[in-house]
Amino acid sequence: GAGVSQTPSNKVTEKGKYVELRCDPISGHTALYWYRQSLGQGPEFLIYFQGTGAADDSGLPNDRFFAVRPEGSVSTLKIQRTERGDSAVYLCASSLVGLYNEQFFGPGTRLTVL
Amino acid sequence: AQTVTQSQPEMSVQEAETVTLSCTYDTSESDYYLFWYKQPPSRQMILVIRQEAYKQQNATENRFSVNFQKAAKSFSLKISDSQLGDAAMYFCAYRSSNYGGSQGNLIFGKGTKLSVKP
């Protein structure tokens, strides 16, 4: 079956603009995670969905960042009033419920804010 | 809060030789999971190996094995018979084994870039 997919692969935007990043998880995976990976760093947790609800959004850096998962499948990460410091690779991962289960990662979206 | 430290920004190994990547972590929890992920230039994180903290036996997956020292909070990755395809960034990661404060998210180190010389 298909793995986790993310679109777009690359996104270039100007400071102050609004962007949406999409994640299509593996079918049947109810757990979905967003991570942000800045240059030269490991991924950092942003938000976790269990089904349709955000079970943990403690990693979102500020209120410009928001994510939804309205039908419990596809998720969209939304960034308002982008800043140059938002430039990073945004990774999505999905898994079956349960902490033992492996998180499968997508290829990420590289966001560049000019 | 848990932290993961990888002190080797870059490592190099000759093809067919063995290399060990280091990782230390800090936690007050007694039960947790540790992982090594590989990230090639394609950016996709691939799980290499996993260790449950309650297991004393070190995990092994083909050419990959770990040296898990729970008391020392050390979790190194050994790659035997290195191949050109092993060249990538390697990340050590921690995950709590209970939901508690975290919801199962992974905590990553900064990574080690591994080069394999032919």
Side-chain angles (χ1 to χ4, degrees), chain A residues 100, chain B residues 30-33 51-57 68 70:
Chain A
Y100 182 79
Chain B
S30 59
D31 201 12
Y32 44 86
Y33 302 105
Q51 175 79 42
E52 291 89 350
Y54 67 86
K55 290 186 177 179
Q56 293 185 342
Q57 186 172 6
F68 173 49
K70 191 173 184 178

Side-chain angles (χ1 to χ4, degrees), chain A residues 6-13 19-22 34-41 77 79 86-92 106-114, chain B residues 39-44 89:
Chain A
Q6 293 185 246
T7 54
S9 178
N10 293 282
K11 175 71 176 179
V12 180
T13 190
V19 297
E20 291 189 351
L21 311 179
R22 176 186 169 109
W34 282 98
Y35 295 86
R36 179 169 71 173
Q37 186 174 17
S38 300
L39 190 63
Q41 304 293 317
L77 178 65
I79 310 174
D86 298 335
S87 296
V89 173
Y90 290 81
L91 296 168
C92 175
T109 294
R110 181 180 298 281
L111 175 66
T112 302
V113 182
L114 301 177
Chain B
Q39 187 179 42
S42 66
R43 300 197 302 246
Q44 189 139 11
M89 285 292 295

Side-chain angles (χ1 to χ4, degrees), chain A residues 4 9-10 33 35 37 40-43 45 48 50 55-56 89 91 95 97-103 105-110, chain B residues 33 35 37 39 42-47 50 52 54-55 91 95-99 101-111:
Chain A
V4 178
S9 178
N10 293 282
Y33 299 82
Y35 295 86
Q37 186 174 17
Q41 304 293 317
F45 169 72
Y48 161 64
Q50 180 54 264
D56 182 2
V89 173
L91 296 168
S95 77
V97 174
L99 293 172
Y100 182 79
N101 291 300
E102 179 182 349
Q103 291 185 21
F105 283 81
T109 294
R110 181 180 298 281
Chain B
Y33 302 105
F35 306 84
Y37 279 88
Q39 187 179 42
S42 66
R43 300 197 302 246
Q44 189 139 11
M45 299 284 267
I46 302 165
L47 179 63
R50 168 172 54 194
E52 291 89 350
Y54 67 86
K55 290 186 177 179
F91 291 94
R95 190 183 198 186
S96 178
S97 68
N98 62 80
Y99 279 103
S102 78
Q103 295 289 338
N105 54 281
L106 293 160
I107 300 168
F108 289 89
K110 290 188 175 183

